[in-house]
């Protein structure tokens, strides 16, 4: 069984984040990805598992995506 590899633009649309945020996650090693030449590829199953693990704490997701803790209030 061959698992689908997503391109960067597909992940941006799926996660509804901008390119800068995605590259911040890649640089920190927070999101599972593989470099193929000069481009990043994301296994659908790995991305699904990562998203599921992020559901444990939305504040942690927000911190990972923005680099800042969520505002309280």
């Amino acid at each position: 069984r061959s698992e689908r590899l997503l391109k960067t633009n597909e992940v941006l649309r799926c996660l509804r984040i901008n390119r800068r945020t995605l590259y911040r996650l890649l640089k920190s090693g927070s999101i599972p990805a593989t470099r193929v030449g000069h481009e990043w590829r994301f296994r659908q199953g790995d991305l699904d598992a990562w998203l599921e693990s992020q559901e444990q704490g939305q504040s942690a997701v927000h911190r990972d995506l923005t680099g800042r803790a969520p505002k309280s209030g």
Side-chain angles (χ1 to χ4, degrees):
R1 179 187 126 193
S2 178
E3 188 168 9
R4 182 159 187 256
L5 291 176
L6 302 173
K7 294 181 179 181
T8 302
N9 287 336
E10 294 173 296
V11 174
L12 293 173
R13 283 192 306 268
C14 175
L15 297 180
R16 295 184 180 151
I17 58 175
N18 65 37
R19 186 173 300 276
R20 187 177 195 177
T21 301
L22 180 58
Y23 281 104
R24 189 178 301 135
L25 290 168
L26 288 165
K27 185 177 180 180
S28 70
S30 298
I31 192 168
T34 302
R35 190 119 189 179
V36 178
H38 295 288
E39 299 180 13
W40 288 99
R41 292 293 185 261
F42 305 82
R43 284 188 174 87
Q44 181 72 56
D46 291 346
L47 196 57
D48 290 342
W50 178 79
L51 284 169
E52 200 169 301
S53 74
Q54 297 303 301
E55 290 176 0
Q56 298 303 318
Q58 286 300 316
S59 61
V61 173
H62 187 274
R63 192 175 300 109
D64 279 351
L65 294 177
T66 65
R68 297 182 304 272
K71 295 177 184 176
S72 59

